């Protein structure tokens, strides 16, 4: 048993940064400063090693073969499901459905749940802060059945108007879909309160956790979330894997989203019966290596500790916010009181794409654009922003490099 004294000493952030081989390179003759983890985070060596081991010793198809390799692949893949369930504190691992990512998870709910349960005149509530992935699937289903999409407004800081939300909720509300953390502005939304209020009206709630799960502990039972989705590639795993958590009772009421192998119990031309949970919602051969890697990524961050990660990222965000505010011409976009490690900004007189390109010339990787959140941009009256997003492998030197690179942009445009 581990005691306080036998526990391994805490590794420094410097040492942890060295776990990420991709960060050790130069880009455009500058040491890489990676500030785009909200788009995709980087992958530590332990996870890369797990992928190599899977392909070297375990690779086969899952849930199908009686042979040893198939069993190894199945065991490795299913071990991740158990880890995900523990990570989210789901009551059962069958409540964790593997999907390609957040987008597919939301589409699964929109089609599997919405199409079956929404009727003409019903209402679905999203927020003004949503990524397109949490708007368009609901629009498609609402259009199909004649339901209405309603939107929780936000203030100029990028915070949801909770009074307006309460006023929108009514007996016609079937589902509320909001993100836990906004990808465009970094706002942390009061999801526990959003869920509580929706439940009072008998509506179910989907939380888009794509930008939350990498930065904070999430307990789906404590939140009482009905659906919670996230993507592996934002939590130090590869692309091609994500998770939809859903309560058993809801999964049992849902239509399969896709038909095919693995999701059936029996098939004849007259009638098909479906497999048990979770497989009923997992048609076709999945992204097995990425799934196995997701388990390794969860082990990796849990070894560091999510509370420690959250504290360090909060320090980085506070420091970067102050540093950017000191650069003449910088205007921060999104100044909510509760934020996760995203900093959206404009530099006066320079298009965000130009900011991004000149920063890249100096080895600083940020994202520029509308961040797949055009309604957020429209609400705040900007076409696009530059966005720096932080992970625990970033440090104060990265922030200094960002600021220095912004002064170079200004020099070029002031000349
Ligand atoms: N946001 C960003 O740079 P997928 O692509 O399915 O893994 O995730 C979609 C998605 C859904 N919700 C939120 C809150 C997100 O941030 C994202 C992905 C990336 O902000 C790529 S657009």
């Amino acid at each position: 048993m581990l005691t306080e004294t036998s526990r391994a000493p805490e590794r420094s952030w410097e040492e942890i940064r060295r776990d990420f081989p991709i960060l050790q390179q130069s880009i455009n003759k500058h040491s890489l400063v990676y500030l785009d983890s909200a788009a995709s985070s980087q992958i530590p060596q332990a996870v890369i090693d797990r992928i190599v081991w899977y392909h070297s010793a375990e690779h086969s198809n899952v849930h199908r073969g009686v042979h040893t390799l198939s069993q190894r692949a199945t065991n490795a893949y299913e071990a991740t499901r158990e880890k995900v369930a523990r990570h989210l504190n789901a009551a059962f691992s069958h409540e964790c459905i593997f999907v390609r990512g957040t987008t597919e998870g939301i589409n699964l709910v929109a089609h599997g749940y919405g199409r079956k349960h929404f009727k003409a005149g019903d209402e679905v509530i999203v927020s003004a802060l949503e990524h397109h992935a949490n708007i368009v699937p609901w629009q498609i289903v609402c259009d199909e059945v004649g339901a209405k999409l309603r939107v929780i407004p936000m203030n100029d800081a990028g915070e949801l108007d909770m009074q307006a939300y309460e006023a929108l909720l009514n007996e016609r509300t079937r589902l509320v879909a909001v993100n836990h953390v906004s990808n465009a502005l970094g706002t942390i939304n009061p999801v526990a309160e959003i869920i509580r209020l929706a439940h009072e009206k008998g509506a179910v709630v989907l939380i888009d956790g794509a930008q939350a799960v990498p930065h904070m502990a999430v307990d789906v039972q404590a939140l009482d979330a009905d659906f919670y989705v996230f993507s592996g590639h934002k939590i130090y795993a590869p692309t091609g894997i994500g998770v939809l958590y859903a309560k058993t009772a809801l999964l049992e009421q849902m239509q399969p989203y896709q038909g095919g192998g693995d999701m059936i119990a029996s098939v004849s031309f007259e009638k098909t019966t479906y497999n048990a949970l979770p497989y009923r919602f997992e048609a076709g051969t999945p992204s097995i290596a990425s799934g196995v890697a997701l388990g390794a990524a969860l082990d990796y961050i849990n070894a560091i500790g999510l509370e420690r990660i959250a504290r360090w990222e909060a320090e980085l965000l506070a420091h970067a916010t102050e540093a950017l505010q000191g650069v003449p011409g910088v205007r921060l976009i999104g100044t909510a009181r509760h934020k996760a490690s995203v900093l959206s900004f404009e530099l006066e007189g320079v298009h965000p794409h130009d900011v991004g390109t000149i920063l890249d010339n100096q080895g600083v990787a940020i994202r520029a654009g509308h961040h797949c959140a055009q309604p957020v941009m429209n609400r705040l009256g900007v076409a696009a922003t530059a966005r720096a997003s932080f992970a625990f492998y970033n440090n104060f030197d990265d922030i200094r490099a960002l600021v220095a690179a912004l002064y170079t942009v200004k020099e070029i445009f002031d000349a």
Side-chain angles (χ1 to χ4, degrees):
M1 197 176 115
L2 277 181
T3 64
E4 206 50 48
T5 43
S6 67
R7 198 175 284 158
E10 202 170 73
R11 296 167 70 225
S12 71
W13 291 117
E14 245 175 75
E15 200 183 335
I16 288 168
R17 183 181 171 106
R18 287 198 291 274
D19 291 342
F20 292 79
I22 204 167
L23 299 178
Q24 316 307 320
Q25 64 182 302
S26 293
I27 298 267
N28 296 325
K29 300 196 182 112
H30 295 269
S31 297
L32 170 63
V33 173
Y34 189 73
L35 298 175
D36 197 19
S37 297
S40 277
S41 51
Q42 296 300 351
I43 303 181
Q45 190 62 51
V47 175
I48 296 170
D49 289 346
R50 187 66 190 87
I51 299 167
V52 171
W53 178 247
Y54 170 78
H55 284 297
S56 312
E58 298 169 329
H59 173 60
S60 183
N61 212 318
V62 287
H63 309 143
R64 284 161 173 83
V66 289
H67 58 80
T68 303
L69 277 188
S70 176
Q71 284 166 13
R72 276 188 201 160
T74 303
N75 290 345
Y77 189 62
E78 290 300 326
T80 293
R81 202 187 305 275
E82 300 298 324
K83 288 176 189 178
V84 169
R86 276 199 300 279
H87 197 78
L88 296 179
N89 192 30
F92 307 99
S93 58
H94 69 240
E95 296 182 319
C96 299
I97 312 291
F98 286 130
V99 287
R100 269 194 306 140
T102 304
T103 305
E104 190 175 59
I106 298 171
N107 276 280
L108 196 165
V109 178
H111 291 267
Y113 183 86
R115 258 194 188 152
K116 189 168 170 197
H117 292 279
F118 303 164
K119 301 180 304 298
D122 283 349
E123 295 181 0
V124 172
I125 298 179
V126 296
S127 91
L129 273 173
E130 298 314 309
H131 185 282
H132 299 161
N134 206 19
I135 301 173
V136 184
W138 305 115
Q139 270 172 337
I140 292 172
V141 176
C142 284
D143 282 353
E144 231 174 76
V145 303
K148 194 168 174 193
L149 195 68
R150 314 212 55 193
V151 183
I152 311 168
M154 68 175 182
N155 64 19
D156 293 341
E159 293 165 327
L160 294 182
D161 180 339
M162 290 296 284
Q163 272 186 340
Y165 170 54
E166 278 196 63
L168 282 175
L169 284 165
N170 63 58
E171 64 291 346
R172 292 183 300 280
T173 312
R174 290 289 158 269
L175 182 139
V176 177
V178 292
N179 59 40
H180 197 160
V181 173
S182 151
N183 70 312
L185 306 182
T187 312
I188 302 175
N189 289 316
V191 289
E193 182 68 355
I194 288 171
I195 292 169
R196 191 183 66 75
L197 290 167
H199 285 172
E200 274 178 20
K201 297 286 180 196
V204 296
V205 183
L206 176 140
I207 303 295
D208 169 354
Q211 299 292 346
V213 169
H215 305 295
M216 60 186 77
V218 170
D219 181 332
V220 289
Q221 290 191 81
L223 285 174
D224 202 15
D226 299 296
F227 302 102
Y228 196 101
V229 278
F230 72 91
S231 301
H233 69 98
K234 297 187 198 288
I235 186 164
Y236 314 103
T239 52
I241 189 76
V243 173
L244 161 67
Y245 158 82
K247 287 177 179 166
T248 303
L250 293 168
L251 287 171
E252 280 170 349
Q253 298 165 25
M254 281 164 58
Q255 278 294 110
Y257 174 42
Q258 294 178 328
D262 220 20
M263 55 76 73
I264 56 89
S266 71
V267 177
S268 74
F269 289 112
E270 288 70 42
K271 187 175 168 55
T272 291
T273 54
Y274 302 132
N275 203 345
L277 296 175
Y279 312 111
R280 192 184 306 171
F281 296 101
E282 296 180 351
T285 301
S287 196
I288 307 167
S290 295
V292 173
L294 174 61
L298 293 179
D299 289 344
Y300 178 82
I301 56 169
N302 286 326
I304 299 172
L306 271 171
E307 277 180 24
R308 186 177 169 213
I309 288 173
R311 276 198 308 275
W312 176 230
E313 290 179 350
E315 260 188 70
L316 290 172
L317 181 69
H319 188 76
T321 304
E322 206 184 313
L324 252 63
Q325 275 167 333
V327 179
V330 165
R331 184 169 78 93
L332 297 184
I333 313 279
T335 50
R337 277 158 298 174
H338 302 293
K339 281 184 62 169
S341 40
V342 166
L343 261 186
S344 252
F345 61 94
E346 277 187 322
L347 183 60
E348 198 182 359
V350 190
H351 192 283
H353 282 130
D354 293 332
V355 175
T357 306
I358 300 170
L359 259 52
D360 181 57
N361 284 336
Q362 296 166 85
V364 179
I366 61 154
R367 187 170 171 189
H370 53 59
H371 315 296
C372 303
Q374 283 180 353
V376 175
M377 303 293 119
N378 293 340
R379 165 64 184 80
L380 297 177
V382 293
T385 73
R387 184 189 70 180
S389 53
F390 302 92
F392 56 77
Y393 42 62
N394 291 121
N395 57 30
F396 288 6
D397 285 342
D398 293 339
I399 297 168
R400 274 189 279 278
L402 169 66
V403 169
L406 283 172
Y407 274 104
T408 305
V409 178
K410 282 173 66 61
E411 274 167 28
I412 292 170
F413 275 79
D414 290 348

